[in-house]
Amino acid sequence: MPWKNQGGGPWGSGPKGPWGSGPQSSGPRPPDLEDLLRKGQDRLQSMLPGGFVSGMGIALVLVVALVIWGLSGFFRVQSEELGVVLRFGKHVRTVQPGLNYHLPYPIETVLLPKALRVSTLSVGMSILEDTGRRGRTIRDVPEESLMLTGDENIVDVDFTVLWRIKPDGVGNFLFNIQNPEGTVKAVAESVMREVVGRANIQPILTGARTTTETQVQELMQKTLDGYSAGVLIQQVQLQKVDPPAQVIDAFRDVQAAQADAQRLQNEAQTYTNRVVPDARGRAAQILQVAEGYREQAIAEAKGQSARFLKVYDEYKKAPDVTRQRIYLETMERILGGAEKLVYDGGQGAGASQGVVPYLPLNELTPRRQPPAPSGQPQQSGSTR
């Protein structure tokens, strides 16, 4: 029986206990549970038809509650999302963007990862949003970017990775890895160090950027598939590949010297490509001229020998006539280009006077140099 219902007791009157005082109030009293239940029952009876809880009213309440519970299974998947439906915690299906339905909680639940969005991950650098200047500030992270090459040099590599969730691997992405972005970054840094560690520094700094990006992308995808991570690597982009800041000036001097050497080699090769074909063409021309002269000499020799044989055959048939003909042809060939004056020996009216002691006949008549026949030396002479 509570203290307030006592009429005093053996030690006096009033709400006091056996030791002279009753229970003390130490703050607001909690609401009475029985009063709350009674008030709720009264309100429910006032809403139901007939003013009391009937069987039809209970059924109506249950139907309304069941309808509301069933409608709670509708959900919307945004354009960058995929819906992963779980039935008692087990992945049963994946739904596309739009309005979808699953069995109400707690039978089925849904997870909405950003599976269609391409995410960008930076390694070796940290991109900070500058709200004051409305821009971005890039800060180098040496512990991520400094890597050892195959020829024992150090190179500073900053790169970005574009990745997304595989459409058919959303379940693996949600349940097989705990920190997806951290996992992708760790794999990217590890694979880049492996690829750089197998190559020399010079190709990495100059012409092997595309090859390096392709190798890193393929090896990253293979590693993540081995983890069943459900991640698709779309692209790897090298942002900066430089020597360390302490030696970058020396490396630039070396690269400038190598560029000069390459330029000189290209100029020498150009000169070679121009001179060598010209020399080969002239050599081929000389060979062709010599070949033509040889063929000509052989043909002329054969012709002369054939002519000699013909003349010899005719000589055997008529030696005197042939000899006279050869003599005349020879004299015609020899004297044909010479300047000649015929003197009859002083016959006639002016014979007693004789000839002029000296007369420059060669200067009075023009010289004629007819070409000698082929194969014969040119003869010239004069007669006075």
Side-chain angles (χ1 to χ4, degrees), residues 16-81:
K16 297 182 181 180
W19 291 276
S21 64
Q24 302 294 325
S25 177
S26 60
R29 298 178 59 190
D32 192 353
L33 182 59
E34 295 180 0
D35 293 339
L36 292 177
L37 293 177
R38 189 180 301 108
K39 291 179 181 179
Q41 186 177 4
D42 295 340
R43 291 180 181 177
L44 181 60
Q45 290 178 356
S46 63
M47 290 188 300
L48 293 178
F52 61 93
V53 180
S54 62
M56 184 179 296
I58 296 175
L60 181 60
V61 171
L62 293 178
V63 170
V64 172
L66 185 62
V67 170
I68 296 175
W69 181 69
L71 293 177
S72 65
F74 285 99
F75 65 96
R76 179 178 296 276
V77 181
Q78 300 299 327
S79 59
E80 294 183 349
E81 301 174 340

Short mmCIF file of all heavy atoms in Angstrom, two decimals, residues 16-81:
data_model
loop_
_atom_site.label_atom_id
_atom_site.label_comp_id
_atom_site.label_asym_id
_atom_site.label_seq_id
_atom_site.Cartn_x
_atom_site.Cartn_y
_atom_site.Cartn_z
N LYS A 16 3.83 10.08 6.26
CA LYS A 16 5.19 9.86 6.73
C LYS A 16 5.44 8.38 6.87
O LYS A 16 4.54 7.60 7.14
CB LYS A 16 5.42 10.54 8.07
CG LYS A 16 5.27 12.05 8.01
CD LYS A 16 5.56 12.66 9.34
CE LYS A 16 5.40 14.16 9.30
NZ LYS A 16 5.67 14.78 10.60
N GLY A 17 6.64 8.03 6.76
CA GLY A 17 7.04 6.65 6.95
C GLY A 17 7.38 6.38 8.37
O GLY A 17 7.23 7.22 9.26
N PRO A 18 7.85 5.20 8.65
CA PRO A 18 8.19 4.84 10.03
C PRO A 18 9.35 5.62 10.57
O PRO A 18 9.59 5.64 11.76
CB PRO A 18 8.47 3.34 9.93
CG PRO A 18 8.79 3.08 8.50
CD PRO A 18 8.03 4.06 7.71
N TRP A 19 10.15 6.27 9.72
CA TRP A 19 11.31 7.05 10.20
C TRP A 19 11.06 8.55 10.13
O TRP A 19 11.97 9.34 10.10
CB TRP A 19 12.54 6.70 9.37
CG TRP A 19 13.03 5.30 9.64
CD1 TRP A 19 13.84 4.92 10.64
CD2 TRP A 19 12.70 4.15 8.93
NE1 TRP A 19 14.06 3.59 10.61
CE2 TRP A 19 13.34 3.06 9.54
CE3 TRP A 19 11.87 3.85 7.82
CZ2 TRP A 19 13.23 1.74 9.10
CZ3 TRP A 19 11.79 2.55 7.40
CH2 TRP A 19 12.45 1.52 8.02
N GLY A 20 9.76 8.96 10.08
CA GLY A 20 9.40 10.36 10.21
C GLY A 20 9.19 11.09 8.92
O GLY A 20 8.89 12.27 8.94
N SER A 21 9.37 10.47 7.78
CA SER A 21 9.16 11.16 6.49
C SER A 21 8.67 10.16 5.46
O SER A 21 9.04 8.97 5.50
CB SER A 21 10.43 11.84 6.00
OG SER A 21 11.43 10.87 5.74
N GLY A 22 7.84 10.62 4.53
CA GLY A 22 7.34 9.78 3.47
C GLY A 22 8.22 9.86 2.23
O GLY A 22 9.27 10.50 2.22
N PRO A 23 7.77 9.24 1.17
CA PRO A 23 8.58 9.28 -0.08
C PRO A 23 8.64 10.69 -0.63
O PRO A 23 7.64 11.38 -0.69
CB PRO A 23 7.83 8.32 -1.01
CG PRO A 23 6.43 8.27 -0.47
CD PRO A 23 6.54 8.46 0.99
N GLN A 24 9.85 11.11 -1.06
CA GLN A 24 10.07 12.46 -1.58
C GLN A 24 10.02 12.44 -3.11
O GLN A 24 10.58 11.55 -3.77
CB GLN A 24 11.43 13.00 -1.11
CG GLN A 24 11.56 13.04 0.40
CD GLN A 24 10.60 14.03 1.03
OE1 GLN A 24 10.32 15.07 0.45
NE2 GLN A 24 10.07 13.68 2.20
N SER A 25 9.38 13.45 -3.70
CA SER A 25 9.32 13.57 -5.17
C SER A 25 10.63 14.18 -5.68
O SER A 25 11.02 15.26 -5.25
CB SER A 25 8.13 14.46 -5.55
OG SER A 25 8.08 14.65 -6.94
N SER A 26 11.28 13.48 -6.58
CA SER A 26 12.60 13.95 -7.09
C SER A 26 12.53 14.46 -8.52
O SER A 26 13.53 14.55 -9.20
CB SER A 26 13.62 12.81 -7.00
OG SER A 26 13.18 11.71 -7.78
N GLY A 27 11.35 14.74 -9.08
CA GLY A 27 11.25 15.24 -10.46
C GLY A 27 9.92 14.85 -11.05
O GLY A 27 9.02 14.35 -10.36
N PRO A 28 9.76 15.03 -12.38
CA PRO A 28 8.49 14.68 -13.03
C PRO A 28 8.27 13.19 -13.02
O PRO A 28 9.19 12.40 -13.27
CB PRO A 28 8.66 15.24 -14.45
CG PRO A 28 10.13 15.31 -14.66
CD PRO A 28 10.72 15.63 -13.33
N ARG A 29 7.05 12.80 -12.75
CA ARG A 29 6.73 11.37 -12.68
C ARG A 29 6.49 10.83 -14.08
O ARG A 29 5.93 11.49 -14.94
CB ARG A 29 5.48 11.18 -11.82
CG ARG A 29 5.67 11.65 -10.38
CD ARG A 29 4.38 11.46 -9.61
NE ARG A 29 3.98 10.06 -9.62
CZ ARG A 29 2.80 9.63 -9.19
NH1 ARG A 29 1.90 10.49 -8.72
NH2 ARG A 29 2.50 8.34 -9.22
N PRO A 30 6.89 9.57 -14.40
CA PRO A 30 6.66 8.98 -15.72
C PRO A 30 5.18 8.75 -15.93
O PRO A 30 4.41 8.55 -14.99
CB PRO A 30 7.45 7.67 -15.65
CG PRO A 30 7.52 7.33 -14.21
CD PRO A 30 7.59 8.64 -13.50
N PRO A 31 4.71 8.76 -17.21
CA PRO A 31 3.28 8.54 -17.48
C PRO A 31 2.86 7.13 -17.11
O PRO A 31 3.64 6.18 -17.21
CB PRO A 31 3.16 8.81 -18.98
CG PRO A 31 4.52 8.56 -19.52
CD PRO A 31 5.48 8.99 -18.44
N ASP A 32 1.65 7.02 -16.72
CA ASP A 32 1.11 5.73 -16.32
C ASP A 32 0.75 4.95 -17.57
O ASP A 32 0.01 5.42 -18.44
CB ASP A 32 -0.12 5.93 -15.44
CG ASP A 32 -0.54 4.62 -14.76
OD1 ASP A 32 0.05 3.58 -15.11
OD2 ASP A 32 -1.45 4.67 -13.92
N LEU A 33 1.31 3.70 -17.75
CA LEU A 33 1.08 2.89 -18.94
C LEU A 33 -0.39 2.49 -19.06
O LEU A 33 -0.94 2.44 -20.16
CB LEU A 33 1.99 1.65 -18.88
CG LEU A 33 1.91 0.70 -20.08
CD1 LEU A 33 2.29 1.44 -21.37
CD2 LEU A 33 2.85 -0.50 -19.88
N GLU A 34 -1.02 2.22 -17.93
CA GLU A 34 -2.42 1.83 -17.98
C GLU A 34 -3.30 2.96 -18.51
O GLU A 34 -4.23 2.74 -19.29
CB GLU A 34 -2.88 1.40 -16.60
CG GLU A 34 -2.17 0.14 -16.09
CD GLU A 34 -2.67 -0.25 -14.70
OE1 GLU A 34 -3.56 0.47 -14.17
OE2 GLU A 34 -2.19 -1.25 -14.16
N ASP A 35 -2.98 4.20 -18.11
CA ASP A 35 -3.74 5.34 -18.61
C ASP A 35 -3.58 5.51 -20.13
O ASP A 35 -4.53 5.79 -20.85
CB ASP A 35 -3.31 6.62 -17.91
CG ASP A 35 -3.68 6.59 -16.43
OD1 ASP A 35 -4.59 5.79 -16.08
OD2 ASP A 35 -3.07 7.34 -15.66
N LEU A 36 -2.36 5.33 -20.62
CA LEU A 36 -2.11 5.45 -22.06
C LEU A 36 -2.90 4.41 -22.84
O LEU A 36 -3.51 4.70 -23.88
CB LEU A 36 -0.62 5.34 -22.36
CG LEU A 36 0.26 6.49 -21.85
CD1 LEU A 36 1.73 6.21 -22.16
CD2 LEU A 36 -0.16 7.81 -22.49
N LEU A 37 -2.88 3.16 -22.39
CA LEU A 37 -3.62 2.11 -23.08
C LEU A 37 -5.11 2.38 -23.06
O LEU A 37 -5.82 2.16 -24.04
CB LEU A 37 -3.31 0.76 -22.44
CG LEU A 37 -1.87 0.23 -22.61
CD1 LEU A 37 -1.69 -1.08 -21.84
CD2 LEU A 37 -1.55 0.04 -24.08
N ARG A 38 -5.60 2.88 -21.95
CA ARG A 38 -7.02 3.16 -21.85
C ARG A 38 -7.43 4.29 -22.79
O ARG A 38 -8.47 4.23 -23.45
CB ARG A 38 -7.37 3.53 -20.39
CG ARG A 38 -8.89 3.63 -20.15
CD ARG A 38 -9.17 3.98 -18.69
NE ARG A 38 -8.61 2.98 -17.78
CZ ARG A 38 -7.54 3.17 -17.00
NH1 ARG A 38 -6.91 4.35 -17.05
NH2 ARG A 38 -7.10 2.22 -16.19
N LYS A 39 -6.61 5.34 -22.87
CA LYS A 39 -6.92 6.45 -23.78
C LYS A 39 -6.88 6.02 -25.24
O LYS A 39 -7.71 6.42 -26.06
CB LYS A 39 -5.93 7.59 -23.55
CG LYS A 39 -6.11 8.28 -22.20
CD LYS A 39 -5.09 9.39 -22.04
CE LYS A 39 -5.25 10.08 -20.69
NZ LYS A 39 -4.24 11.16 -20.50
N GLY A 40 -5.89 5.17 -25.60
CA GLY A 40 -5.83 4.69 -26.98
C GLY A 40 -7.02 3.85 -27.33
O GLY A 40 -7.56 3.92 -28.45
N GLN A 41 -7.48 3.02 -26.39
CA GLN A 41 -8.65 2.19 -26.66
C GLN A 41 -9.89 3.06 -26.84
O GLN A 41 -10.73 2.79 -27.70
CB GLN A 41 -8.84 1.20 -25.51
CG GLN A 41 -9.95 0.19 -25.75
CD GLN A 41 -10.04 -0.81 -24.61
OE1 GLN A 41 -9.31 -0.69 -23.62
NE2 GLN A 41 -10.93 -1.78 -24.75
N ASP A 42 -10.02 4.11 -26.06
CA ASP A 42 -11.16 5.00 -26.19
C ASP A 42 -11.18 5.70 -27.55
O ASP A 42 -12.23 5.83 -28.18
CB ASP A 42 -11.16 6.04 -25.07
CG ASP A 42 -11.37 5.38 -23.69
OD1 ASP A 42 -11.89 4.24 -23.67
OD2 ASP A 42 -10.98 6.01 -22.68
N ARG A 43 -10.03 6.14 -28.00
CA ARG A 43 -9.97 6.82 -29.31
C ARG A 43 -10.31 5.85 -30.43
O ARG A 43 -10.99 6.20 -31.40
CB ARG A 43 -8.58 7.40 -29.53
CG ARG A 43 -8.27 8.58 -28.61
CD ARG A 43 -6.89 9.11 -28.89
NE ARG A 43 -6.56 10.23 -28.00
CZ ARG A 43 -5.39 10.85 -27.99
NH1 ARG A 43 -4.43 10.47 -28.82
NH2 ARG A 43 -5.19 11.87 -27.16
N LEU A 44 -9.81 4.61 -30.36
CA LEU A 44 -10.11 3.62 -31.39
C LEU A 44 -11.60 3.30 -31.42
O LEU A 44 -12.19 3.17 -32.49
CB LEU A 44 -9.29 2.36 -31.12
CG LEU A 44 -9.46 1.22 -32.14
CD1 LEU A 44 -9.04 1.69 -33.54
CD2 LEU A 44 -8.62 0.00 -31.74
N GLN A 45 -12.22 3.19 -30.27
CA GLN A 45 -13.65 2.92 -30.23
C GLN A 45 -14.46 4.07 -30.81
O GLN A 45 -15.48 3.87 -31.45
CB GLN A 45 -14.09 2.65 -28.78
CG GLN A 45 -13.58 1.33 -28.22
CD GLN A 45 -14.00 1.12 -26.78
OE1 GLN A 45 -14.62 2.02 -26.19
NE2 GLN A 45 -13.67 -0.02 -26.21
N SER A 46 -13.97 5.30 -30.62
CA SER A 46 -14.69 6.45 -31.16
C SER A 46 -14.60 6.50 -32.68
O SER A 46 -15.50 7.01 -33.34
CB SER A 46 -14.13 7.74 -30.56
OG SER A 46 -12.77 7.88 -30.93
N MET A 47 -13.53 6.00 -33.28
CA MET A 47 -13.37 6.03 -34.73
C MET A 47 -14.10 4.90 -35.41
O MET A 47 -14.54 5.02 -36.54
CB MET A 47 -11.88 5.97 -35.11
CG MET A 47 -11.11 7.24 -34.76
SD MET A 47 -9.44 7.22 -35.42
CE MET A 47 -8.79 5.76 -34.64
N LEU A 48 -14.22 3.75 -34.76
CA LEU A 48 -14.86 2.60 -35.37
C LEU A 48 -16.36 2.77 -35.36
O LEU A 48 -16.93 3.38 -34.45
CB LEU A 48 -14.46 1.33 -34.63
CG LEU A 48 -12.99 0.94 -34.76
CD1 LEU A 48 -12.71 -0.31 -33.94
CD2 LEU A 48 -12.61 0.69 -36.22
N PRO A 49 -17.04 2.21 -36.40
CA PRO A 49 -18.51 2.34 -36.41
C PRO A 49 -19.12 1.57 -35.25
O PRO A 49 -18.66 0.50 -34.87
CB PRO A 49 -18.89 1.73 -37.77
CG PRO A 49 -17.71 0.93 -38.21
CD PRO A 49 -16.52 1.52 -37.58
N GLY A 50 -20.16 2.14 -34.69
CA GLY A 50 -20.84 1.51 -33.55
C GLY A 50 -20.27 1.91 -32.23
O GLY A 50 -20.80 1.60 -31.18
N GLY A 51 -19.06 2.59 -32.28
CA GLY A 51 -18.46 3.06 -31.04
C GLY A 51 -17.80 1.98 -30.24
O GLY A 51 -17.43 2.23 -29.11
N PHE A 52 -17.66 0.81 -30.75
CA PHE A 52 -16.97 -0.23 -29.98
C PHE A 52 -16.20 -1.11 -30.96
O PHE A 52 -16.43 -1.09 -32.17
CB PHE A 52 -17.98 -1.07 -29.18
CG PHE A 52 -18.99 -1.78 -30.05
CD1 PHE A 52 -18.77 -3.07 -30.49
CD2 PHE A 52 -20.16 -1.11 -30.44
CE1 PHE A 52 -19.71 -3.68 -31.29
CE2 PHE A 52 -21.07 -1.74 -31.25
CZ PHE A 52 -20.87 -3.03 -31.68
N VAL A 53 -15.27 -1.85 -30.47
CA VAL A 53 -14.39 -2.71 -31.28
C VAL A 53 -15.18 -3.93 -31.68
O VAL A 53 -15.43 -4.83 -30.85
CB VAL A 53 -13.12 -3.11 -30.50
CG1 VAL A 53 -12.24 -4.00 -31.36
CG2 VAL A 53 -12.38 -1.88 -30.05
N SER A 54 -15.54 -3.97 -32.97
CA SER A 54 -16.27 -5.10 -33.50
C SER A 54 -15.37 -5.93 -34.39
O SER A 54 -14.27 -5.53 -34.75
CB SER A 54 -17.50 -4.62 -34.27
OG SER A 54 -17.09 -3.83 -35.38
N GLY A 55 -15.80 -7.08 -34.83
CA GLY A 55 -15.01 -7.94 -35.72
C GLY A 55 -14.78 -7.30 -37.07
O GLY A 55 -13.69 -7.40 -37.65
N MET A 56 -15.79 -6.58 -37.60
CA MET A 56 -15.63 -5.91 -38.90
C MET A 56 -14.62 -4.78 -38.82
O MET A 56 -13.81 -4.56 -39.72
CB MET A 56 -16.99 -5.37 -39.37
CG MET A 56 -16.95 -4.73 -40.77
SD MET A 56 -18.56 -4.14 -41.27
CE MET A 56 -19.45 -5.70 -41.35
N GLY A 57 -14.62 -4.07 -37.74
CA GLY A 57 -13.65 -2.97 -37.58
C GLY A 57 -12.22 -3.48 -37.53
O GLY A 57 -11.30 -2.90 -38.11
N ILE A 58 -12.03 -4.56 -36.80
CA ILE A 58 -10.68 -5.14 -36.74
C ILE A 58 -10.22 -5.59 -38.12
O ILE A 58 -9.07 -5.40 -38.53
CB ILE A 58 -10.65 -6.29 -35.73
CG1 ILE A 58 -10.93 -5.75 -34.32
CG2 ILE A 58 -9.32 -7.00 -35.77
CD1 ILE A 58 -11.04 -6.84 -33.28
N ALA A 59 -11.12 -6.21 -38.87
CA ALA A 59 -10.77 -6.66 -40.22
C ALA A 59 -10.40 -5.50 -41.11
O ALA A 59 -9.45 -5.55 -41.90
CB ALA A 59 -11.93 -7.46 -40.81
N LEU A 60 -11.16 -4.38 -41.01
CA LEU A 60 -10.87 -3.20 -41.82
C LEU A 60 -9.50 -2.63 -41.49
O LEU A 60 -8.73 -2.23 -42.37
CB LEU A 60 -11.96 -2.16 -41.60
CG LEU A 60 -11.81 -0.87 -42.42
CD1 LEU A 60 -11.82 -1.17 -43.91
CD2 LEU A 60 -12.93 0.12 -42.05
N VAL A 61 -9.21 -2.58 -40.21
CA VAL A 61 -7.88 -2.08 -39.81
C VAL A 61 -6.78 -2.96 -40.37
O VAL A 61 -5.75 -2.50 -40.86
CB VAL A 61 -7.80 -1.99 -38.28
CG1 VAL A 61 -6.38 -1.69 -37.84
CG2 VAL A 61 -8.75 -0.92 -37.77
N LEU A 62 -6.98 -4.26 -40.31
CA LEU A 62 -5.96 -5.18 -40.83
C LEU A 62 -5.78 -5.02 -42.33
O LEU A 62 -4.66 -5.06 -42.85
CB LEU A 62 -6.34 -6.62 -40.47
CG LEU A 62 -6.30 -6.98 -39.00
CD1 LEU A 62 -6.75 -8.43 -38.78
CD2 LEU A 62 -4.89 -6.78 -38.43
N VAL A 63 -6.89 -4.84 -43.05
CA VAL A 63 -6.79 -4.67 -44.50
C VAL A 63 -6.03 -3.40 -44.85
O VAL A 63 -5.16 -3.37 -45.72
CB VAL A 63 -8.20 -4.67 -45.13
CG1 VAL A 63 -8.12 -4.24 -46.60
CG2 VAL A 63 -8.83 -6.05 -45.03
N VAL A 64 -6.37 -2.30 -44.17
CA VAL A 64 -5.67 -1.04 -44.43
C VAL A 64 -4.19 -1.16 -44.12
O VAL A 64 -3.32 -0.71 -44.88
CB VAL A 64 -6.32 0.10 -43.62
CG1 VAL A 64 -5.49 1.37 -43.73
CG2 VAL A 64 -7.74 0.35 -44.09
N ALA A 65 -3.87 -1.80 -42.99
CA ALA A 65 -2.47 -1.97 -42.64
C ALA A 65 -1.75 -2.83 -43.65
O ALA A 65 -0.58 -2.58 -44.02
CB ALA A 65 -2.36 -2.57 -41.24
N LEU A 66 -2.43 -3.88 -44.15
CA LEU A 66 -1.82 -4.76 -45.14
C LEU A 66 -1.57 -4.03 -46.45
O LEU A 66 -0.53 -4.21 -47.10
CB LEU A 66 -2.73 -5.98 -45.36
CG LEU A 66 -2.18 -7.07 -46.29
CD1 LEU A 66 -0.89 -7.65 -45.71
CD2 LEU A 66 -3.21 -8.17 -46.50
N VAL A 67 -2.52 -3.16 -46.85
CA VAL A 67 -2.33 -2.39 -48.09
C VAL A 67 -1.16 -1.43 -47.96
O VAL A 67 -0.31 -1.30 -48.87
CB VAL A 67 -3.63 -1.65 -48.45
CG1 VAL A 67 -3.39 -0.66 -49.60
CG2 VAL A 67 -4.72 -2.64 -48.83
N ILE A 68 -1.09 -0.75 -46.84
CA ILE A 68 0.03 0.19 -46.63
C ILE A 68 1.36 -0.56 -46.62
O ILE A 68 2.36 -0.12 -47.20
CB ILE A 68 -0.18 0.97 -45.33
CG1 ILE A 68 -1.43 1.86 -45.44
CG2 ILE A 68 1.04 1.82 -45.01
CD1 ILE A 68 -1.79 2.57 -44.15
N TRP A 69 1.37 -1.71 -46.00
CA TRP A 69 2.60 -2.51 -45.95
C TRP A 69 3.01 -2.99 -47.34
O TRP A 69 4.17 -3.02 -47.70
CB TRP A 69 2.37 -3.69 -45.00
CG TRP A 69 3.57 -4.58 -44.85
CD1 TRP A 69 4.73 -4.29 -44.24
CD2 TRP A 69 3.70 -5.93 -45.32
NE1 TRP A 69 5.60 -5.35 -44.28
CE2 TRP A 69 4.97 -6.38 -44.94
CE3 TRP A 69 2.83 -6.80 -46.02
CZ2 TRP A 69 5.43 -7.66 -45.24
CZ3 TRP A 69 3.29 -8.07 -46.31
CH2 TRP A 69 4.57 -8.50 -45.93
N GLY A 70 2.01 -3.37 -48.16
CA GLY A 70 2.33 -3.81 -49.51
C GLY A 70 2.83 -2.68 -50.39
O GLY A 70 3.74 -2.86 -51.20
N LEU A 71 2.24 -1.49 -50.23
CA LEU A 71 2.69 -0.34 -51.04
C LEU A 71 4.08 0.13 -50.66
O LEU A 71 4.73 0.83 -51.44
CB LEU A 71 1.69 0.81 -50.91
CG LEU A 71 0.30 0.56 -51.50
CD1 LEU A 71 -0.61 1.75 -51.22
CD2 LEU A 71 0.38 0.30 -53.00
N SER A 72 4.52 -0.21 -49.48
CA SER A 72 5.86 0.22 -49.07
C SER A 72 6.97 -0.47 -49.86
O SER A 72 8.14 -0.10 -49.73
CB SER A 72 6.06 -0.06 -47.57
OG SER A 72 6.04 -1.47 -47.32
N GLY A 73 6.63 -1.47 -50.71
CA GLY A 73 7.65 -2.15 -51.51
C GLY A 73 8.04 -1.43 -52.78
O GLY A 73 9.00 -1.81 -53.43
N PHE A 74 7.32 -0.37 -53.17
CA PHE A 74 7.70 0.39 -54.37
C PHE A 74 8.93 1.25 -54.06
O PHE A 74 9.01 1.87 -52.99
CB PHE A 74 6.53 1.27 -54.83
CG PHE A 74 5.44 0.50 -55.50
CD1 PHE A 74 4.29 0.13 -54.78
CD2 PHE A 74 5.54 0.13 -56.83
CE1 PHE A 74 3.28 -0.57 -55.40
CE2 PHE A 74 4.53 -0.58 -57.45
CZ PHE A 74 3.39 -0.95 -56.73
N PHE A 75 9.83 1.32 -55.01
CA PHE A 75 11.04 2.16 -54.86
C PHE A 75 11.48 2.61 -56.22
O PHE A 75 11.16 2.01 -57.25
CB PHE A 75 12.15 1.38 -54.14
CG PHE A 75 12.69 0.20 -54.92
CD1 PHE A 75 13.84 0.31 -55.69
CD2 PHE A 75 12.03 -1.03 -54.89
CE1 PHE A 75 14.33 -0.76 -56.40
CE2 PHE A 75 12.51 -2.11 -55.60
CZ PHE A 75 13.67 -1.99 -56.36
N ARG A 76 12.25 3.68 -56.26
CA ARG A 76 12.73 4.28 -57.51
C ARG A 76 14.26 4.18 -57.56
O ARG A 76 14.95 4.52 -56.59
CB ARG A 76 12.29 5.73 -57.63
CG ARG A 76 12.78 6.43 -58.92
CD ARG A 76 12.26 7.84 -59.01
NE ARG A 76 10.81 7.85 -59.11
CZ ARG A 76 10.14 7.70 -60.27
NH1 ARG A 76 10.82 7.50 -61.39
NH2 ARG A 76 8.83 7.74 -60.28
N VAL A 77 14.75 3.76 -58.71
CA VAL A 77 16.20 3.68 -58.96
C VAL A 77 16.58 4.83 -59.88
O VAL A 77 16.01 4.99 -60.97
CB VAL A 77 16.57 2.32 -59.60
CG1 VAL A 77 18.08 2.25 -59.83
CG2 VAL A 77 16.11 1.17 -58.72
N GLN A 78 17.54 5.65 -59.46
CA GLN A 78 17.96 6.82 -60.24
C GLN A 78 18.80 6.39 -61.45
O GLN A 78 19.17 5.22 -61.62
CB GLN A 78 18.75 7.78 -59.35
CG GLN A 78 17.96 8.29 -58.16
CD GLN A 78 16.71 9.07 -58.56
OE1 GLN A 78 16.70 9.75 -59.58
NE2 GLN A 78 15.66 8.96 -57.75
N SER A 79 19.11 7.38 -62.31
CA SER A 79 19.77 7.08 -63.58
C SER A 79 21.18 6.51 -63.41
O SER A 79 21.65 5.75 -64.25
CB SER A 79 19.83 8.35 -64.44
OG SER A 79 20.54 9.38 -63.76
N GLU A 80 21.89 6.87 -62.35
CA GLU A 80 23.25 6.39 -62.14
C GLU A 80 23.29 5.15 -61.24
O GLU A 80 24.38 4.68 -60.92
CB GLU A 80 24.12 7.48 -61.51
CG GLU A 80 24.36 8.68 -62.41
CD GLU A 80 25.28 9.68 -61.77
OE1 GLU A 80 25.56 9.53 -60.56
OE2 GLU A 80 25.74 10.60 -62.47
N GLU A 81 22.14 4.65 -60.84
CA GLU A 81 22.09 3.58 -59.85
C GLU A 81 21.59 2.28 -60.46
O GLU A 81 21.00 2.25 -61.54
CB GLU A 81 21.18 3.97 -58.68
CG GLU A 81 21.60 5.23 -57.95
CD GLU A 81 20.58 5.64 -56.90
OE1 GLU A 81 19.40 5.19 -57.00
OE2 GLU A 81 20.93 6.42 -56.01
#
